[in-house]
Amino acid sequence: MQRIDVNERIVGLERLNPTLRPTTSPFLEGRWNFEWFGAGSPGLFAARILFERSPATLANLLALDMLIKDGNANVTANLNFFNSIDSKFLLRAKLSVEGPTRLKEEYVEGLLETPTVSEQAIPEQLKAAFGQATGALQQLPASVRDAFANGVTVPLSGTFQRLFMISYLDEEILITRDSMGAADVLTRLDPAPGQIAADSVITEYES
């Protein structure tokens, strides 16, 4: 029932789309937060399966956002494991304009950043294993430790791509649909281009 209700609201909003050519609109660029997403892209699909099937104490998706700029899209997933280990997964993609409302997304690479650990928050039953893992890591050659410190990069060029359309775009809300019709709803995290320009205008002082 919740999904039906949300989809009804999405359809109602799409009918009011104020942007005729969203793929070339300046409002498209910026940082967006995922409020609702379907199973459109392989990255989002994998994240959804993982975190819907894992207990919150084991794995938790804290936030999912996307930065669109200069024909590129960078999706960042903020992850938390065991309520004590924080990490980020970055998915980089190239965007190509296919029409007034249609874009092609080609995945370039994925990057799993080195986790940061809060030792105070580690459950007692895991502290011994954590100590052993830390000790083992310190014994590795410096080159291997440096590789861990810089994160793990997975090349994805030529592996995944998809077409999607923008069904709604304004200064605050972005709605996209994949080839199966699944909708993603995003809200802007940074000021829109029009807002930045307005804020930069210096007006005369009025007492």
Side-chain angles (χ1 to χ4, degrees):
M1 290 300 298
Q2 181 191 36
R3 184 170 295 276
I4 291 174
D5 182 61
V6 170
N7 283 325
E8 285 181 344
R9 294 171 185 266
I10 291 173
V11 171
L13 191 57
E14 288 172 328
R15 292 171 180 164
L16 305 175
N17 181 29
T19 308
L20 297 179
R21 299 183 62 90
T23 56
T24 55
S25 170
F27 290 136
L28 182 60
E29 293 202 343
R31 187 173 295 278
W32 300 88
N33 181 62
F34 282 87
E35 303 287 352
W36 177 271
F37 58 84
S41 70
L44 297 182
F45 178 76
R48 190 176 180 186
I49 292 296
L50 170 63
F51 293 106
E52 282 186 352
R53 296 185 178 182
S54 301
T57 54
L58 175 61
N60 189 19
L61 179 61
L62 301 179
L64 189 66
D65 64 71
M66 175 171 61
L67 174 64
I68 300 177
K69 188 171 180 61
D70 299 329
N72 297 294
N74 296 330
V75 177
T76 302
N78 292 281
L79 315 174
N80 179 270
F81 302 93
F82 303 107
N83 291 327
S84 56
I85 303 175
D86 294 323
S87 184
K88 287 184 180 180
F89 179 75
L90 291 83
L91 184 63
R92 297 191 173 101
K94 178 182 178 183
L95 299 178
S96 304
V97 176
E98 296 281 315
T101 62
R102 187 171 63 181
L103 289 168
K104 180 170 71 173
E105 186 178 36
E106 301 175 88
Y107 298 97
V108 177
E109 65 178 10
L111 172 64
L112 180 63
E113 291 190 352
T114 303
T116 58
V117 182
S118 172
E119 296 188 33
Q120 293 79 8
I122 297 178
E124 288 296 331
Q125 59 270 31
L126 296 178
K127 285 187 176 181
F130 173 74
Q132 293 176 0
T134 302
L137 182 61
Q138 294 300 322
Q139 296 177 8
L140 293 174
S143 58
V144 177
R145 291 201 306 270
D146 291 342
F148 275 104
N150 295 327
V152 179
T153 301
V154 181
L156 298 174
S157 296
T159 305
F160 299 112
Q161 66 178 32
R162 67 164 183 154
L163 292 173
F164 67 93
M165 64 171 289
I166 299 175
S167 57
Y168 184 93
L169 175 66
D170 64 16
E171 297 181 5
E172 301 295 333
I173 298 174
L174 168 64
I175 300 176
T176 69
R177 289 188 179 272
D178 64 12
S179 58
M180 300 299 293
D184 294 344
V185 180
L186 304 92
T187 55
R188 186 178 294 279
L189 289 173
D190 53 7
Q195 294 173 318
I196 296 175
D199 292 341
S200 63
V201 174
I202 300 176
T203 58
E204 294 183 359
Y205 174 77
E206 293 181 2
S207 62

